[in-house]
Amino acid sequence: MPIPSQTSLREQAARYLDRIRKSAEQLDRTVSLMEVCGTHTVAISRGGIRELLPGNVRLISGPGCPVCVTAQGFIDAAVRLAASGEAFVATYGDMLRVPGTSGSLEQAKAAGASVHMVYSVLEAMELARRQPGRPVVFLAVGFETTAPATAVAVREARDQGLDNFFVLDAHKRIVPAMETLTAAAGVSIDGFIAPGHVSVIIGLDPYEPVAAAGRPCVVAGFEPVDVLEAVAMLLEMLAEGRSEVANQYRRTVPSEGNPTARAQLGAVFEVAAGEWRGLGTIPESGFALREELSRLNARAALGVEVTPTPELPGCRCGEVLQGALEPWECPLFGHDCTPVRPQGPCMVSREGSCGIAYRFSGRGGDCCG
Ligand code: SF4
């Protein structure tokens, strides 16, 4: 595919903005569109897209940052496990700094706990191979995008007899969270910019119930012009009284998704209730390891208990994740909570709304550029 020139990108952006303005005028009311994915939040903030939109079109950020939505109880369980010395905890970098009730994994590591940062689940398996006899527990967080890789690793570990590799499962399914938000009181959402990465796996069909509930969904790519086109498509649907699922990201997302990846997922995980920060327990919003794979399940095999714990006092990530609060409306934002001293996961993660707002909105001081 030829790379578009800056001029043609500018022309595209101007065309989409024109469509956006026309539909916004027709709508003649305030419209709130939620971008579900943290990568979209980055693109929107980096591209200054909010500032380009008509005054009656709001973009609000949703629960699409995998680290941010991981429940406090899961973080606490991981910290306890690492501090116990009974297992080596392997996890992605963003997870290390999320504050738990009694400190973060990074702080536990500094105090001597066995915590290892990995870039992939395969690296966690390699860690287990290098330390036979020492349990290695991989913290399996993330949406349908990353869950297939965990599924492949679990099958490999089983087939290879890697008996010191375990998974603490907390993978999530995004659509039940969108449905929960659609029905929630106090959060007004007229349509969704649906996540491109997740949709590569799940395709378009799973969004149909959301559209049927009156919230159109457009799967979008991650360039600023992609987001602008998705906004134009959503506003046109709303102005015409339609609520459908559409695909702006056709160059990457096939409408049927990736059946092979879904088959891998289905062979290893079953759909289960998921525990979300800010949203609580949502039926069918998680993946749990199948019973026959309990040998690799840290909960079953090592007795790791994940129990709900209250979210940190003062931190309002739960409301930020629901789009009910802008990051800078949190009293701690930019003062007591910064990327250097985060008080909640939304400030820690690269895809967290608070961290993104701090870096790009001009409200966070001058730490990060
Ligand atoms: Fe939580 Fe910090 Fe965001 Fe406030 S600014 S909601 S404390 S992460």
Side-chain angles (χ1 to χ4, degrees), residues 14-27 29 31 33 57 190-191 216 218 228-244 246 248:
R15 274 200 306 275
Y16 298 144
L17 283 167
D18 197 42
R19 284 168 55 188
I20 287 169
R21 268 191 293 273
K22 282 184 183 137
S23 298
E25 275 170 27
Q26 261 178 282
L27 280 159
R29 64 180 171 90
V31 171
L33 305 177
V57 179
D190 295 288
V218 173
L228 285 175
E229 186 177 14
V231 171
M233 291 164 77
L234 282 167
L235 293 178
E236 283 164 0
M237 280 197 249
L238 290 167
E240 291 163 15
R242 290 181 291 123
S243 180
E244 297 166 4
Q248 184 280 333

Coordinates of all heavy atoms in Angstrom, one line a residue, residues 14-27 29 31 33 57 190-191 216 218 228-244 246 248:
A14 N -9.2 17.3 6.3 CA -10.1 18.4 6.0 C -11.5 17.9 5.6 O -12.6 18.4 6.0 CB -9.5 19.3 5.0
R15 N -11.5 16.8 4.7 CA -12.7 16.3 4.3 C -13.5 15.6 5.4 O -14.7 15.9 5.5 CB -12.5 15.2 3.2 CG -12.3 15.7 1.8 CD -12.5 14.6 0.7 NE -11.7 13.5 0.9 CZ -10.4 13.3 0.5 NH1 -9.9 14.3 -0.2 NH2 -9.7 12.3 0.7
Y16 N -12.8 14.9 6.3 CA -13.5 14.3 7.4 C -14.1 15.3 8.4 O -15.2 15.2 8.9 CB -12.6 13.3 8.2 CG -12.1 12.2 7.3 CD1 -10.8 11.7 7.5 CD2 -12.9 11.6 6.4 CE1 -10.3 10.6 6.8 CE2 -12.4 10.5 5.6 CZ -11.1 10.1 5.8 OH -10.7 9.0 5.0
L17 N -13.3 16.4 8.6 CA -13.8 17.5 9.5 C -15.0 18.1 8.9 O -15.9 18.5 9.6 CB -12.7 18.5 9.7 CG -11.6 18.0 10.7 CD1 -10.4 18.9 10.7 CD2 -12.2 18.0 12.2
D18 N -15.0 18.3 7.6 CA -16.2 18.9 6.9 C -17.4 18.0 7.2 O -18.5 18.5 7.5 CB -15.9 19.0 5.4 CG -16.8 19.9 4.8 OD1 -17.1 21.0 5.3 OD2 -17.4 19.6 3.7
R19 N -17.3 16.7 7.0 CA -18.4 15.8 7.3 C -18.8 15.8 8.7 O -20.0 15.8 9.0 CB -18.0 14.3 6.9 CG -17.9 14.1 5.4 CD -17.3 12.7 5.1 NE -17.9 11.6 5.7 CZ -17.3 10.3 5.7 NH1 -16.2 10.1 5.0 NH2 -17.9 9.3 6.3
I20 N -17.8 15.9 9.6 CA -18.1 16.0 11.0 C -19.0 17.3 11.3 O -20.0 17.2 12.0 CB -16.8 16.0 11.9 CG1 -16.2 14.6 11.8 CG2 -17.0 16.4 13.3 CD1 -14.8 14.5 12.4
R21 N -18.5 18.4 10.8 CA -19.2 19.6 11.1 C -20.7 19.6 10.6 O -21.6 20.0 11.3 CB -18.5 20.8 10.4 CG -17.4 21.5 11.3 CD -16.9 22.8 10.7 NE -16.1 22.5 9.5 CZ -14.8 22.3 9.5 NH1 -14.2 22.2 10.6 NH2 -14.2 22.0 8.4
K22 N -20.9 19.0 9.4 CA -22.2 19.0 8.8 C -23.1 18.1 9.7 O -24.3 18.5 10.0 CB -22.2 18.4 7.4 CG -21.7 19.4 6.4 CD -21.8 18.8 5.0 CE -21.2 19.8 4.0 NZ -20.4 19.2 3.0
S23 N -22.6 16.9 10.1 CA -23.5 16.1 10.9 C -23.7 16.7 12.3 O -24.8 16.6 12.8 CB -22.8 14.7 11.1 OG -22.7 14.1 9.9
A24 N -22.7 17.3 12.8 CA -22.8 17.9 14.2 C -23.9 19.0 14.1 O -24.7 19.1 15.1 CB -21.5 18.5 14.7
E25 N -23.9 19.8 13.1 CA -25.0 20.8 12.9 C -26.4 20.2 12.9 O -27.3 20.7 13.5 CB -24.7 21.7 11.7 CG -23.7 22.8 11.9 CD -23.3 23.4 10.6 OE1 -24.1 23.4 9.6 OE2 -22.2 23.9 10.5
Q26 N -26.5 19.1 12.1 CA -27.8 18.4 12.0 C -28.2 17.9 13.3 O -29.4 18.0 13.6 CB -27.6 17.2 11.0 CG -28.1 17.4 9.6 CD -27.8 16.2 8.8 OE1 -26.7 15.9 8.4 NE2 -28.8 15.4 8.6
L27 N -27.3 17.4 14.1 CA -27.7 16.8 15.4 C -28.2 17.8 16.4 O -29.1 17.5 17.2 CB -26.5 16.0 16.0 CG -26.3 14.6 15.3 CD1 -24.9 14.1 15.5 CD2 -27.3 13.6 15.9
R29 N -27.3 18.9 19.2 CA -27.3 18.5 20.6 C -25.9 18.0 20.9 O -25.1 17.8 20.0 CB -28.3 17.4 21.0 CG -28.0 16.1 20.3 CD -29.1 15.0 20.6 NE -28.9 13.8 19.8 CZ -28.2 12.8 20.1 NH1 -27.5 12.7 21.2 NH2 -28.2 11.7 19.3
V31 N -23.2 15.4 21.7 CA -23.0 14.0 21.4 C -21.7 13.5 22.1 O -20.7 14.2 21.9 CB -22.9 13.8 19.9 CG1 -22.5 12.3 19.6 CG2 -24.2 14.1 19.2
L33 N -19.0 10.5 22.3 CA -18.5 9.3 21.7 C -17.4 8.7 22.6 O -16.5 9.5 23.0 CB -18.0 9.6 20.3 CG -19.0 10.2 19.3 CD1 -18.3 10.5 18.0 CD2 -20.2 9.4 19.2
V57 N -19.5 18.0 20.1 CA -19.0 16.6 20.0 C -17.9 16.4 21.0 O -16.9 17.0 21.0 CB -18.5 16.3 18.6 CG1 -18.0 14.9 18.5 CG2 -19.5 16.6 17.5
D190 N -23.2 8.0 23.3 CA -24.0 8.0 22.1 C -23.5 7.0 21.0 O -24.2 6.6 20.1 CB -24.1 9.4 21.4 CG -24.9 10.3 22.4 OD1 -26.1 10.1 22.5 OD2 -24.2 11.2 23.0
G191 N -22.2 6.7 21.1 CA -21.6 5.7 20.2 C -20.2 5.4 20.6 O -19.6 6.0 21.5
P216 N -24.2 3.1 18.0 CA -23.4 2.7 16.8 C -21.9 2.5 17.2 O -21.4 3.1 18.1 CB -23.6 3.8 15.9 CG -24.0 5.0 16.6 CD -24.8 4.4 17.8
V218 N -18.0 2.0 15.5 CA -17.1 2.0 14.3 C -15.8 1.5 14.7 O -15.1 2.1 15.6 CB -17.1 3.4 13.7 CG1 -16.0 3.4 12.5 CG2 -18.4 3.8 13.1
L228 N -10.6 10.5 12.9 CA -11.5 11.5 12.3 C -12.6 10.9 11.4 O -13.7 11.2 11.5 CB -10.7 12.6 11.5 CG -9.9 13.6 12.4 CD1 -9.1 14.5 11.4 CD2 -10.9 14.4 13.2
E229 N -12.1 9.9 10.6 CA -13.1 9.3 9.7 C -14.1 8.5 10.6 O -15.3 8.5 10.3 CB -12.4 8.3 8.7 CG -13.5 7.8 7.7 CD -12.9 6.9 6.6 OE1 -11.7 6.4 6.8 OE2 -13.6 6.6 5.7
A230 N -13.7 7.8 11.6 CA -14.6 7.1 12.5 C -15.6 8.0 13.2 O -16.8 7.7 13.2 CB -13.8 6.3 13.6
V231 N -15.1 9.2 13.6 CA -16.1 10.1 14.2 C -17.1 10.6 13.2 O -18.3 10.7 13.5 CB -15.3 11.3 14.8 CG1 -16.2 12.5 15.2 CG2 -14.4 10.9 16.0
A232 N -16.6 10.9 11.9 CA -17.5 11.3 10.9 C -18.6 10.2 10.6 O -19.8 10.5 10.5 CB -16.8 11.6 9.6
M233 N -18.1 8.9 10.6 CA -19.1 7.8 10.3 C -20.1 7.7 11.5 O -21.3 7.5 11.2 CB -18.3 6.5 10.2 CG -17.4 6.4 8.9 SD -16.2 5.1 9.0 CE -17.2 3.7 8.6
L234 N -19.6 7.8 12.7 CA -20.6 7.7 13.8 C -21.6 8.8 13.8 O -22.8 8.6 14.0 CB -19.8 7.8 15.1 CG -19.1 6.5 15.5 CD1 -18.1 6.7 16.7 CD2 -20.1 5.4 16.0
L235 N -21.1 10.1 13.6 CA -22.0 11.2 13.6 C -23.1 11.1 12.5 O -24.2 11.5 12.6 CB -21.3 12.5 13.5 CG -20.4 12.9 14.7 CD1 -19.6 14.2 14.4 CD2 -21.2 13.0 16.0
E236 N -22.6 10.6 11.3 CA -23.6 10.5 10.2 C -24.6 9.4 10.5 O -25.8 9.6 10.3 CB -22.8 10.1 8.9 CG -22.1 11.3 8.3 CD -21.0 10.9 7.3 OE1 -20.8 9.7 7.0 OE2 -20.4 11.9 6.8
M237 N -24.2 8.3 11.2 CA -25.2 7.4 11.6 C -26.2 8.0 12.6 O -27.4 7.8 12.4 CB -24.5 6.2 12.3 CG -24.0 5.2 11.3 SD -23.6 3.6 12.1 CE -21.9 3.5 12.1
L238 N -25.7 8.7 13.6 CA -26.6 9.3 14.6 C -27.5 10.3 13.9 O -28.7 10.4 14.2 CB -25.7 10.0 15.7 CG -25.0 9.0 16.6 CD1 -23.9 9.7 17.4 CD2 -26.0 8.2 17.5
A239 N -27.0 11.1 13.0 CA -27.8 12.2 12.3 C -28.9 11.5 11.5 O -30.0 12.1 11.3 CB -26.9 13.1 11.5
E240 N -28.6 10.3 11.0 CA -29.6 9.7 10.1 C -30.5 8.7 10.9 O -31.3 7.9 10.3 CB -28.9 8.9 9.0 CG -28.2 9.8 8.0 CD -27.2 9.1 7.1 OE1 -27.2 7.9 7.1 OE2 -26.4 9.8 6.5
G241 N -30.3 8.6 12.2 CA -31.1 7.8 13.1 C -30.7 6.3 12.9 O -31.6 5.4 13.1
R242 N -29.5 6.0 12.5 CA -29.1 4.6 12.3 C -28.2 4.2 13.5 O -27.4 5.0 14.0 CB -28.3 4.4 11.0 CG -29.1 4.5 9.7 CD -28.3 4.3 8.5 NE -27.3 5.4 8.2 CZ -26.0 5.2 8.1 NH1 -25.5 4.0 8.3 NH2 -25.2 6.2 7.9
S243 N -28.2 2.9 13.8 CA -27.2 2.4 14.8 C -26.7 1.1 14.3 O -27.4 0.1 14.3 CB -27.9 2.2 16.2 OG -26.9 1.8 17.1
E244 N -25.5 1.1 13.7 CA -25.0 0.0 13.1 C -23.5 -0.3 13.5 O -22.9 0.6 14.2 CB -25.0 0.2 11.5 CG -26.4 0.3 11.0 CD -26.4 0.9 9.6 OE1 -25.3 1.1 9.0 OE2 -27.5 1.1 9.1
A246 N -19.8 -0.6 11.9 CA -19.1 -0.3 10.7 C -17.6 -0.5 10.9 O -17.1 -0.4 12.1 CB -19.4 1.1 10.2
Q248 N -14.1 1.1 9.9 CA -13.2 2.1 9.2 C -11.8 1.5 9.0 O -11.1 1.9 8.1 CB -13.1 3.3 10.2 CG -12.3 4.5 9.6 CD -10.8 4.3 9.8 OE1 -10.3 3.6 10.7 NE2 -10.0 4.9 8.9

